[in-house]
C-alpha cells in the first residue's frame, strides 16, 4: 500500500464509516489498491485519521460486495481477479441484465443518464475512470426496470464487474470496442426495440469475457460452453 489514498482527512463521526467505504471503494476500482493488496486496519485507520471501528465496518461492507476477501488468519485483502471470478460474475449478469433492460425499454423510461455515462466514459483520462463510467452506464439501463429486487441483485454485482473490467483493460485495452457496443445497445433501446436491445446486451457481455479471458466466455444463452473437443466429437 505504497500509493497514497486521497482525501484521508478526519470527518464527523457519524459519516466516518461511509467516508472510509467510499474512498476504499474508489481506491480499489481505480487500481490504487491492486488485487491482492493487504488491507491492514491499523494502517488504514492512520491514513484516514479515524479509529479502527469505521475501517473494520467498511471492510465488512466491501467483503459483502465482493471487493475484499477477509481471512481469520491473513486479515483482509483486495480481491484478486481471475477467469473463474470473472466467469462467475458475468454468468449472473448474463442471466439477469438483458431481462432488466428489456423491461426498462418496454416501460419507455428516459435513458438520459445512460447518455451522460457514455459521455463520461469517452472523456475519461484512464481505464479506471472509464470502468466506473461504464458501471454507471449499465446501471442506468437496468434501474428503471420496475423490479427493485432485480435492481438490488444487479447492484450487488456492479462493483465486481467494474473490478473485472478495470483489471482486464490493463492487459487487453478493448474499451473502444466496448464503447461502440454500448452506443449500439443504447440506440436500439431508444428505438423501443426491447428484444433487440436485450440481445445486443447479451452479446456484449459474452464478447467482453471472451476478449478478456479467452476460452472462459459463457454461451450466449447463459449456459456454460462445452469444451471444444466435446463439440468436435458430437459434430
Amino acid at each position: 500500500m505504497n500509493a497514497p489514498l486521497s482525501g484521508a482527512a478526519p470527518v464527523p463521526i457519524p459519516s466516518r464509516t461511509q467516508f472510509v467505504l467510499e474512498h476504499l471503494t474508489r481506491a480499489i476500482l481505480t487500481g490504487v489498491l491492486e488485487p491482492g493488496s493487504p488491507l491492514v486496519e491499523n494502517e488504514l485507520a492512520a491514513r484516514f485519521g479515524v479509529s479502527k471501528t469505521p475501517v473494520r465496518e467498511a471492510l465488512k461492507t466491501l467483503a459483502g460486495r465482493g471487493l475484499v476477501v477477509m481471512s481469520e488468519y491473513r486479515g483482509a485483502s483486495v480481491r484478486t481477479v481471475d477467469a473463474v471470478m470473472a466467469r462467475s460474475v458475468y454468468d449472473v449478469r448474463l442471466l439477469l441484465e438483458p431481462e432488466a433492460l428489456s423491461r426498462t425499454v418496454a416501460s419507455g423510461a428516459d435513458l438520459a443518464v445512460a447518455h451522460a455515462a457514455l459521455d463520461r466514459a469517452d472523456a475519461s483520462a484512464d481505464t479506471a475512470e472509464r470502468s466506473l463510467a461504464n458501471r454507471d452506464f449499465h446501471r442506468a439501463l437496468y434501474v428503471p426496470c420496475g423490479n427493485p429486487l432485480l435492481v438490488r441483485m444487479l447492484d450487488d454485482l456492479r462493483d465486481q464487474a467494474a473490478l473485472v473490467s478495470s483489471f482486464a483493460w490493463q492487459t487487453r485495452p478493448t474499451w473502444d470496442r466496448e464503447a461502440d457496443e454500448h452506443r449500439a445497445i443504447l440506440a436500439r433501446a431508444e428505438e423501443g426495440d426491447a428484444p433487440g436491445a436485450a440481445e445486443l446486451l447479451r452479446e456484449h457481455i459474452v464478447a467482453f469475457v471472451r476478449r478478456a479471458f479467452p476460452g472462459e466466455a459463457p454461451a450466449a444463452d447463459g449456459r456454460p460452453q462445452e469444451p471444444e473437443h466435446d463439440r468436435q466429437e458430437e459434430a
Side-chain angles (χ1 to χ4, degrees):
M1 290 199 320
N2 295 324
L5 297 178
S6 62
V11 292
I13 291 176
S15 61
R16 284 181 178 174
T17 298
Q18 186 63 27
F19 173 84
V20 174
L21 177 61
E22 290 176 357
H23 282 274
L24 283 179
T25 299
R26 185 173 184 81
I28 292 170
L29 294 182
T30 57
V32 173
L33 291 172
E34 298 179 351
S37 298
L39 300 169
V40 182
E41 289 183 10
N42 287 336
E43 294 180 5
L44 293 173
R47 285 177 181 268
F48 289 119
V50 299
S51 69
K52 291 196 299 182
T53 299
V55 171
R56 186 177 301 118
E57 293 303 313
L59 291 176
K60 289 179 181 178
T61 299
L62 290 170
R65 293 180 181 177
L67 295 183
V68 166
V69 175
M70 302 187 75
S71 169
E72 181 179 356
Y73 303 104
R74 298 181 180 179
S77 62
V78 179
R79 184 173 184 176
T80 58
V81 176
D82 57 23
V84 174
M85 180 267 198
R87 175 68 177 270
S88 296
V89 171
Y90 278 75
D91 268 355
V92 179
R93 284 187 66 193
L94 190 59
L95 291 171
L96 301 180
E97 200 167 329
E99 174 62 24
L101 173 57
S102 179
R103 295 184 181 204
T104 291
V105 175
S107 73
D110 183 1
L111 296 173
V113 175
H115 272 289
L118 282 185
D119 291 340
R120 282 175 44 222
D122 289 340
S124 297
D126 55 50
T127 59
E129 289 295 334
R130 187 177 290 106
S131 180
L132 293 173
N134 285 343
R135 178 189 66 166
D136 293 342
F137 168 77
H138 280 274
R139 189 171 194 271
L141 296 182
Y142 68 70
V143 163
C145 73
N147 186 321
L149 179 57
L150 182 54
V151 171
R152 285 197 298 272
M153 293 171 70
L154 286 167
D155 274 350
D156 286 343
L157 292 173
R158 68 190 182 118
D159 283 342
Q160 295 178 64
L163 181 63
V164 170
S165 63
S166 182
F167 173 81
W169 284 338
Q170 293 176 25
T171 54
R172 295 175 181 269
T174 59
W175 53 78
D176 287 339
R177 183 177 299 181
E178 273 107 50
D180 290 341
E181 292 170 359
H182 284 169
R183 294 187 188 95
I185 293 166
L186 184 56
R188 190 67 60 87
E190 292 186 317
E191 292 170 359
D193 182 357
E199 181 58 28
L200 286 181
L201 178 56
R202 185 176 293 107
E203 293 173 358
H204 167 68
I205 293 172
V206 172
F208 173 78
V209 181
R210 182 177 293 123
R211 290 191 293 263
F213 302 95
E216 291 295 331
D221 59 3
R223 292 176 294 184
Q225 289 182 322
E226 298 174 6
E228 186 67 28
H229 64 84
D230 289 344
R231 292 198 299 271
Q232 291 174 351
E233 291 175 358
E234 292 176 359

